Amino acid sequence: MNRAAAKELALDDTHDFEDARRGLIASVPELVVAGSGAAPIWDMPGYAFSEGAAPDSVNPSLWRQAKLNNIHGLFQVSEGIYQLRGFDLSNMTLIEGEQGWIVVDPLTSRETAARALAFAARAPRRAAGQRDHLYAQPRGSLRRRARRGERRGDRRAAHPRDRARGFHGGGDQREHAGRHHDGPARRVHVRPALGARRRGHVDTGLGKAAFGSAGIVAPTETVGRTGEELVIDGVRFVFQYTPGSEAPTEFTFYLPELKAFCGAEIVSHTLHNLYTLRGAKVRDALKWSGYIDEAMRLFGDAQVYFGSHHWPLWGEARITDFLQKQRDTYRYIHDQTLRMAALGRTPQQIADELELPASLAREFANRGYYGTVRHNAKAVYQFYFGWYDANPSRLNPLAPAEAAPRYVEFMGGGAAVLAKAQASFDKGEYRWVAEVLTHLVFAEPDNGAARELLARAYDQLGYQAESGPWRDAYLSGAWELRHGVPQEAGDVGAVLELLRNTPIERFLDTMAVRLDGAKAAERHTVINLVLSDTGDSHVLELANGVLHHWREPPRPQADATITVTHALFIDLLTGRAGLRETLGSDALEVDGSRVELLRFFALFEQPDTAFPIVAP
């Protein structure tokens, strides 16, 4: 399968490798970044196996992308623009201002950002910025590094603005960053247990897997419309506002004096996700394509393109061709999905039948290293029509654990299913084997032979996958079948700074969705929450199994009033502090019934991340 895939593409084309190495100033041969645990959070030498021809266990197109993403170091993009690539999943771009650096996309963790900036400070050619640390910010944000001796409050940070909520209502990038880190639980991303190796994790398509401490800073200014301009440290920025594309709030920008376009994540050297396998809101393919078209018209004289991932491009003609084909790829997936849906095709049929035309599919920048045509087509269907495909059998089906034994019985029993699955496996029918054996594993969870054959089918599907996330999902499923559920507890401390800068309303929303509605159905409770350090007060009311909250003065007849600092309240909600212990300390003041307060908080569940994905 992989040898056949290699014949479809010009894998010997070296143009991307030339672009990825262009402007290299210096690199770090042993780029390892330590974290709080025993294992490093960033280990580029660990990917040194991605050399030479692709092994049988890796799709050759993904192998090529992995080799490109191994090229790392400090690069000069053009006069006054530098990039640090390969220090994290994303790029850090440094733009030379009058007094220091303007930092674009300061990576996904504090640790990798600090390492990247320290390396830039020692590199042979750098702007006149002095040493300082940097807090991680969301994609698309801007921040000027402070000169030595400047206070943190003197720096500037620009975020895209959420028009629906407005800035003063918390409607900046912090809203969505907080929601992203509190997203759906039932997802498999890159599991550390896979390891970086030829039969494990090789690349995400965007870059290597990143882990570390995340944070965010409040913006000093926000951008909420296309054409808005800011002069930051003497450099003029013209913004394009692109909400609903890769992120709920996002912008791109153009530097007119440098003729440089930052495409953020509306364009990349891969097909991006309209739906993320980790779980997020479906993105609008039509808007996404439209934003790329708008960028072509607004910034058509750009001589340099750079983005949040991958390597830059140079020359107006090449940039135009790149943007046009990315634009047409998202539009093609959008339009053809709707056309096929109008003909009665189901989401799965569309995913199986839809293919990009050769003029788009042969472009490496449109390949499915991260997103794929298959799951993006399903995303378009979901965006317009939701989950129901109009087939009544799928309107109210049995749950897998209940349906699986009946499937196995209909197919002649477990031994017969396993024998038939082995025959299909020997023919290379791995998708079918995975579908059939999922029923057997759910019907007979302790059937070791069934689990092993299903794991082998997942291995083969992973080895053939061109998409990095698809590969990791398949191989994570195989790992779980062989070793059990990984006990990987989420490290709240790694995102604590981000959480503490997330609007408190979002945490109260989180409380509402963790409420055990059945247990709370007959309860009516009113709790006043007063944040002693900010002066804000909120009223929480539980009724009919639903929790509501309002920012308003405390109600005199509430069952209890809690007075607590913002930071301690976050610690209570995230489990870093226990309520019973905190109630007896001076850090929390309670006016009213402590018993009622304990009963109230007992109704909320903590999420469990250690649950099976591929078995009942």
Side-chain angles (χ1 to χ4, degrees):
M1 291 293 294
N2 282 341
R3 281 193 293 270
K7 295 177 181 178
E8 297 176 2
L9 297 168
L11 296 177
D12 56 352
D13 187 328
T14 62
H15 283 95
D16 284 335
F17 288 91
E18 293 165 5
D19 288 338
R21 294 189 178 100
R22 178 171 169 173
L24 177 63
I25 295 172
S27 61
V28 186
E30 296 298 321
L31 181 52
V32 178
V33 181
S36 57
I41 62 171
W42 189 255
D43 183 7
M44 281 301 291
Y47 294 95
F49 63 86
S50 308
E51 295 295 335
D56 289 343
S57 58
V58 184
N59 181 291
S61 184
L62 177 61
W63 186 257
R64 178 185 183 274
Q65 185 80 346
K67 290 165 70 174
L68 283 162
N69 285 331
N70 275 6
I71 300 171
H72 67 280
L74 175 66
F75 300 80
Q76 182 169 12
V77 176
S78 64
E79 187 64 33
I81 302 176
Y82 300 83
Q83 270 193 333
L84 289 145
R85 300 201 294 272
F87 286 78
D88 197 296
L89 176 67
S90 60
N91 300 333
M92 177 188 288
T93 301
L94 304 176
I95 300 171
E96 192 169 6
E98 292 178 350
Q99 302 294 332
W101 294 116
I102 301 166
V103 180
V104 184
D105 282 332
L107 307 189
T108 60
S109 79
R110 180 184 297 107
E111 295 88 347
T112 54
R115 180 64 182 274
L117 283 170
F119 179 69
R122 295 193 302 267
R125 174 69 179 92
R126 62 186 178 94
Q130 278 71 37
R131 301 288 292 278
D132 196 353
H133 64 281
L134 185 73
Y135 293 89
Q137 292 176 241
R139 302 184 192 98
S141 60
L142 280 171
R143 179 178 183 175
R144 186 187 67 170
R145 276 197 75 207
R147 300 187 298 276
R148 185 182 298 277
E150 281 190 332
R151 300 188 313 275
R152 181 175 175 182
D154 292 329
R155 306 172 191 170
R156 298 173 63 187
H159 289 202
R161 180 166 62 249
D162 186 337
R163 284 176 174 169
R165 292 183 179 272
F167 173 61
H168 294 293
D172 56 77
Q173 193 83 340
R174 293 172 294 169
E175 284 266 345
H176 301 289
R179 286 176 182 268
H180 170 78
H181 280 273
D182 193 52
R186 194 171 177 82
R187 294 291 184 270
V188 178
H189 209 27
V190 180
R191 278 186 169 159
L194 287 182
R197 55 194 178 90
R198 289 172 175 236
R199 290 182 179 267
H201 172 69
V202 298
D203 202 84
T204 70
L206 290 178
K208 309 308 177 187
F211 307 94
S213 304
I216 195 169
V217 295
T220 61
E221 46 228 305
T222 58
V223 172
R225 64 177 178 83
T226 295
E228 195 166 341
E229 295 192 16
L230 287 175
V231 176
I232 303 175
D233 201 18
V235 180
R236 183 162 67 102
F237 289 74
V238 180
F239 292 94
Q240 178 194 19
Y241 186 55
T242 62
S245 54
E246 190 275 337
T249 60
E250 184 161 0
F251 56 55
T252 76
F253 63 81
Y254 187 56
L255 305 175
E257 281 68 37
L258 300 177
K259 291 192 179 299
F261 169 56
C262 174
E265 286 201 76
I266 69 166
V267 285
S268 301
H269 287 283
T270 177
L271 176 61
H272 217 302
N273 281 317
L274 297 176
Y275 166 81
T276 68
L277 301 187
R278 68 175 181 270
K281 292 181 178 180
V282 173
R283 296 149 179 182
D284 190 331
L286 187 60
K287 277 188 177 180
W288 198 322
S289 175
Y291 289 139
I292 301 174
D293 184 71
E294 181 181 61
M296 293 173 62
R297 291 184 285 106
L298 291 174
F299 314 130
D301 61 341
Q303 296 298 316
V304 179
Y305 152 80
F306 62 92
S308 300
H309 299 280
H310 305 130
W311 50 95
L313 291 173
W314 294 266
E316 185 177 321
R318 289 192 64 204
I319 294 170
T320 298
D321 182 68
F322 169 67
L323 294 177
Q324 181 185 46
K325 287 174 179 172
Q326 289 251 302
R327 175 198 67 184
D328 293 350
T329 295
Y330 294 108
R331 185 63 188 258
Y332 188 90
I333 294 172
H334 174 274
D335 292 355
Q336 295 307 305
T337 297
L338 294 187
R339 178 187 69 83
M340 296 169 79
L343 295 175
R345 303 290 200 279
T346 66
Q348 188 58 56
Q349 286 176 309
I350 296 170
D352 280 346
E353 295 176 22
L354 183 59
E355 294 182 359
L356 294 177
S359 59
L360 298 176
R362 64 171 171 251
E363 296 293 326
F364 286 111
N366 292 337
R367 301 296 298 181
Y369 302 121
Y370 190 54
T372 70
V373 172
R374 284 177 177 267
H375 78 251
N376 280 345
K378 292 179 181 178
V380 173
Y381 191 101
Q382 179 180 333
F383 185 88
Y384 285 95
F385 307 116
W387 59 268
Y388 183 46
D389 65 1
N391 185 322
S393 70
R394 286 184 279 274
L395 183 60
N396 188 29
L398 295 172
E402 185 178 352
R406 303 184 186 199
Y407 273 106
V408 172
E409 180 185 357
F410 265 60
M411 291 186 284
V417 171
L418 187 59
K420 294 173 182 177
Q422 181 64 63
S424 296
F425 182 93
D426 294 339
K427 297 176 184 177
E429 298 171 350
Y430 305 120
R431 290 173 66 193
W432 173 242
V433 172
E435 183 172 337
V436 170
L437 286 185
T438 291
H439 293 304
L440 182 53
V441 168
F442 268 73
E444 302 176 9
D446 297 327
N447 189 325
R451 294 176 75 99
E452 178 54 31
L453 186 56
L454 179 55
R456 291 174 61 198
Y458 283 148
D459 284 339
Q460 295 302 318
L461 291 168
Y463 297 159
Q464 294 174 22
E466 186 179 32
S467 164
W470 278 41
R471 176 186 175 91
D472 289 333
Y474 283 128
L475 298 186
S476 291
W479 194 97
E480 181 184 306
L481 286 164
R482 293 183 173 117
H483 305 289
V485 179
Q487 300 301 307
E488 298 168 5
D491 183 7
V492 175
V495 295
L496 191 58
E497 183 183 335
L498 172 64
L499 298 180
R500 285 178 173 168
N501 281 281
T502 299
I504 197 71
E505 287 86 351
R506 301 294 70 77
F507 280 97
L508 299 178
D509 287 343
T510 299
M511 282 187 67
V513 300
R514 292 180 181 174
L515 175 69
D516 187 328
K519 290 182 179 179
E522 302 302 321
R523 300 286 300 278
H524 182 241
T525 307
V526 177
I527 303 293
N528 294 324
L529 170 64
V530 178
L531 301 178
S532 57
D533 50 345
T534 67
D536 294 333
S537 65
H538 299 259
V539 174
L540 286 62
E541 182 171 6
L542 171 62
N544 301 313
V546 176
L547 179 67
H548 296 282
H549 61 87
W550 302 272
R551 182 188 288 264
E552 62 180 47
R555 295 182 185 176
Q557 302 305 315
D559 295 280
T561 297
I562 310 172
T563 302
V564 65
T565 64
H566 180 278
L568 181 55
F569 186 65
I570 300 305
D571 286 345
L572 287 169
L573 291 187
T574 56
R576 286 172 58 86
L579 179 62
R580 290 183 180 273
E581 297 78 9
T582 309
L583 278 174
S585 72
D586 296 333
L588 185 148
E589 180 182 333
V590 178
D591 181 15
S593 173
R594 291 174 181 255
V595 173
E596 190 63 30
L597 191 62
L598 285 170
R599 289 175 177 169
F600 173 75
F601 277 99
L603 296 170
F604 298 90
E605 298 175 337
Q606 287 293 334
D608 179 13
T609 58
F611 48 75
I613 296 291
V614 295

